[in-house]
Amino acid sequence: MCGIFGAINFNKKAIDQSLFKESLLLMKHRGPDNQSCSFYKDNTVAFGHVRLSIIDLTNSANQPMQNEKYCIVFNGEIYNYLEIREDLKKKDFVFLTDSDTEVILKAYEYYGEECVNKFNGMWSFVIYDIFNDSYFCSRDRFGVKPFNYYYSDKTFIFSSEIKSIINYDKTLRTPNYNSIGLYCLEGASSELTDTWFSNILRLQPGHNMHILNKKIKITKYYAYPNKSEKTDFNIAKEDFKFIFTESVKIRMRSDVPVGVTLSGGLDSSSIVSSLSELSFHNLNSYTASFPNYIYDEFEIADKVNILYGLNSHKIDVIYSNEEYLPLLKQMIFHLESGNLSPSIFPLWKVYERAKKDVTVILEGQGADELLAGYMTTFSIYHLIDLLKSYQLKLFFIDMIKIYKNYNFKESLLLFTRTYFSFKTRSILRKIFYNFDNTLTSKLKNSKYPIKKLDKSNSLLLDALKVSHQTTLSNLLHYGDAISMAFSIENRLPFLDYRLVDFAMKLPNSYLISDGKGKYIQRESLKDILPDYIYKDKRKLGFPSPIGNFLNNNKQLLSDILLSPTCLKRGLYDEKKLSKLINSDFEKSSNIPRFLYRLISVELWFQTFID
């Protein structure tokens, strides 16, 4: 896990080495163990790397790594590097290091751009073909690792973090109001190609980029399965458990200490139960606790800790007036945008504590978007699929069981948010919330880019694919940014591509059944999960009492959002914003969440633009 940075001057202008190195070091938190640069072609091409040593801790594995043909800078982990390495050895390749970086380089040399289909892991990398003067860039299938870039006919700049790009070229430090507006309106952020900075873009997950003769070409190499397939449920259970266990096992490959986050929910408990079955013991676990808050899961998490013999670390998360804003601003410095989830605050606290013991963390991120864990979001898609296939009896049985535990009105509302077009959602927002009128035309007229979705034979499968590319994308963004702020690598067993490809071919009833989501996960791991986890139908996510905090600190909201500096930006209607701040937050949990977004926008402007 590292940070990559590079600049290519097509106009043959020499690169300012001092400025390049200064810009690279703005990401030193991503790679505290080594920072290096290499310069090519009369100083018109520069590659930089900051390294967090995880596999092969020797200096020989430092980057940029070069052989007689290629140079690479790479951020991420290839978990199956040992298997690929052995395969390449049989083809007479000789390895000088034990690193996965060298495996990527040799795999590219043999397979070309098809090498990415061999990789099981998370990555963003650039390979420079020294003799052909061409560049091959790639980002992992689901976008765990970031890849930001700027391109013109004069230059190409890429980086794991945008702060290095805008320090290297300060003319790029300009806001993209369309992206910022979409965040305020929809919570959209990291799933977009556009960033919050004009002209700085993201390479999308599952895509490669080629650069030759000053021209870039972007190609898609990964597509989600597009059809559910019938299979025997007992066989599917065995297959799920095998793939998931292998996913956990392969993510334990590390030359540094590994720990786990533990929420007391199904996903993190599935990971620690599998680790126990694989004979990984005495691991450190980290759980956020919210004293005096109704949704504190530590009591359940601690039962899991005791059961599996984990070294438990409880992190009390208390929102204080003095700490919250400085911390949020610090997080936005690492996020380089706002983020939909206020849960970044407790996650920050967890990583801050975990850094004392470990360098790698296993997390349960990705299960809900893959296996229909968000029942309030996905249940209606499932029920419509039942109606479409004329399974009326099962429709009524499932509907009764589901809405015994979940709120139908909330499900219907979430369905409209995910199913209808941006234009329709805008109309519905005005009917139910009317927050849009708080924003000026600078933000509220933002346009959501149309994404083409390959339709499948299941509405639920289509919804899962959309969630994987939107909601999950935002969660992965803040997971990477915050873990890297503390020089920690986070690994996600539920994002093993073998598991994703398998799960997205399953029939709906294997995902949602008996009024519960993630049905196959529960049933596959039933024998190794504690009963109170297996039977728990709740889905709390990562709780965060942001509503209570902002409701008790309305003066703080006014001081930020109604300040002359903020209002001068011309983003908000002062009277309507003031009315919203002074409204009753208890009537709608959406009010504090909306205001949280506006605070994030203002702190972003203070951090990157002012």
Side-chain angles (χ1 to χ4, degrees), residues 322-414:
E322 298 77 18
E323 186 183 33
Y324 187 78
L325 273 184
L327 261 187
L328 182 57
K329 192 169 184 178
Q330 197 174 351
M331 287 184 272
I332 286 171
F333 170 78
H334 290 281
L335 290 163
E336 301 173 332
S337 67
N339 195 278
L340 177 62
S341 175
S343 296
I344 57 175
F345 189 88
L347 189 65
W348 179 278
K349 293 291 189 181
V350 166
Y351 278 122
E352 185 177 46
R353 173 60 189 86
K355 182 58 185 173
K356 296 178 181 179
D357 313 306
V358 300
T359 311
V360 174
I361 285 279
L362 266 63
E363 294 186 342
Q365 201 71 273
D368 294 301
E369 297 80 7
L370 177 64
L371 303 167
Y374 299 127
M375 284 292 284
T376 47
T377 301
F378 296 126
S379 57
I380 289 187
Y381 289 98
H382 167 62
L383 293 172
I384 293 174
D385 277 338
L386 290 177
L387 284 177
K388 285 173 61 182
S389 58
Y390 304 105
Q391 299 181 67
L392 298 181
K393 182 178 179 181
L394 188 57
F395 168 83
F396 286 110
I397 291 172
D398 276 12
M399 184 171 68
I400 291 169
K401 286 185 176 181
I402 289 168
Y403 297 118
K404 182 180 179 182
N405 297 300
Y406 299 95
N407 186 294
F408 176 74
K409 183 179 178 182
E410 187 178 351
S411 281
L412 195 60
L413 186 60
L414 288 172

Side-chain angles (χ1 to χ4, degrees), residues 4-57:
I4 62 174
F5 180 49
I8 304 161
N9 282 351
F10 302 129
N11 59 7
K12 307 301 181 184
K13 183 179 178 181
I15 285 168
D16 183 334
Q17 291 194 18
S18 177
L19 177 61
F20 184 86
K21 292 174 183 177
E22 172 189 288
S23 302
L24 173 69
L25 290 177
L26 291 175
M27 295 191 293
K28 190 176 179 180
H29 50 274
R30 295 187 75 94
D33 298 323
N34 186 71
Q35 303 84 40
S36 299
C37 302
S38 296
F39 299 89
Y40 304 90
K41 287 189 65 182
D42 298 324
N43 207 32
T44 61
V45 175
F47 274 23
H49 189 264
V50 292
R51 184 185 181 200
L52 177 63
S53 302
I54 302 291
I55 293 172
D56 186 349
L57 308 184

Side-chain angles (χ1 to χ4, degrees), residues 3-260:
I4 62 174
F5 180 49
I8 304 161
N9 282 351
F10 302 129
N11 59 7
K12 307 301 181 184
K13 183 179 178 181
I15 285 168
D16 183 334
Q17 291 194 18
S18 177
L19 177 61
F20 184 86
K21 292 174 183 177
E22 172 189 288
S23 302
L24 173 69
L25 290 177
L26 291 175
M27 295 191 293
K28 190 176 179 180
H29 50 274
R30 295 187 75 94
D33 298 323
N34 186 71
Q35 303 84 40
S36 299
C37 302
S38 296
F39 299 89
Y40 304 90
K41 287 189 65 182
D42 298 324
N43 207 32
T44 61
V45 175
F47 274 23
H49 189 264
V50 292
R51 184 185 181 200
L52 177 63
S53 302
I54 302 291
I55 293 172
D56 186 349
L57 308 184
T58 66
N59 290 336
S60 62
N62 287 343
Q63 302 178 47
M65 184 178 287
Q66 182 180 335
N67 61 21
E68 63 277 4
K69 295 181 181 179
Y70 306 109
C71 173
I72 184 173
V73 282
F74 157 58
N75 168 32
E77 295 289 351
I78 306 301
Y79 301 120
N80 63 334
Y81 76 104
L82 292 177
E83 290 78 6
I84 298 172
R85 177 190 172 100
E86 288 306 307
D87 184 54
L88 290 170
K89 279 184 176 181
K90 294 173 184 176
K91 297 173 173 60
D92 298 324
F93 280 87
V94 177
F95 289 84
L96 303 177
T97 74
D98 293 321
S99 70
D100 55 343
T101 307
E102 189 180 12
V103 170
I104 296 175
L105 210 53
K106 298 288 174 67
Y108 179 72
E109 187 173 348
Y110 185 79
Y111 295 109
E113 64 185 70
E114 291 299 316
C115 67
V116 296
N117 295 309
K118 302 281 184 181
F119 300 153
N120 185 349
M122 52 184 180
W123 68 82
S124 62
F125 63 76
V126 179
I127 296 176
Y128 173 36
D129 186 323
I130 300 169
F131 296 107
N132 292 325
D133 194 24
S134 63
Y135 304 84
F136 176 66
C137 318
S138 184
R139 190 177 181 201
D140 64 72
R141 295 172 181 85
F142 311 120
V144 183
K145 294 288 99 189
F147 190 101
N148 307 290
Y149 70 95
Y150 164 75
Y151 167 77
S152 73
D153 60 351
K154 294 181 180 179
T155 188
F156 177 77
I157 311 169
F158 65 87
S159 183
S160 297
E161 297 189 5
I162 296 173
K163 58 181 66 67
S164 294
I165 297 177
I166 61 176
N167 187 74
Y168 182 73
D169 185 346
K170 293 175 176 59
T171 65
L172 299 174
R173 194 186 291 265
T174 56
N176 182 328
Y177 289 105
N178 192 74
S179 292
I180 296 169
L182 289 173
Y183 168 72
C184 294
L185 294 167
E186 295 262 308
S189 184
S190 306
E191 73 268 29
L192 303 174
T193 299
D194 288 351
T195 69
W196 281 25
F197 298 86
S198 295
N199 301 314
I200 297 178
L201 305 174
R202 293 184 184 90
L203 181 63
Q204 285 294 294
H207 283 71
N208 295 329
M209 178 190 292
H210 305 76
I211 305 171
L212 179 65
N213 297 327
K214 302 182 183 180
K215 295 181 179 179
I216 66 171
K217 179 183 178 183
I218 297 175
T219 57
K220 185 177 181 179
Y221 70 85
Y222 176 78
Y224 292 90
N226 209 31
K227 187 177 181 181
S228 59
E229 300 174 357
K230 290 185 178 179
T231 182
D232 180 80
F233 184 64
N234 289 322
I235 294 174
K237 282 198 307 179
E238 292 176 7
D239 290 344
F240 181 94
K241 184 177 181 181
F242 175 79
I243 297 171
F244 179 70
T245 303
E246 285 297 304
S247 173
V248 172
K249 181 180 179 181
I250 204 171
R251 280 162 177 77
M252 289 300 290
R253 289 177 173 174
S254 172
D255 294 331
V256 293
V258 180
V260 294

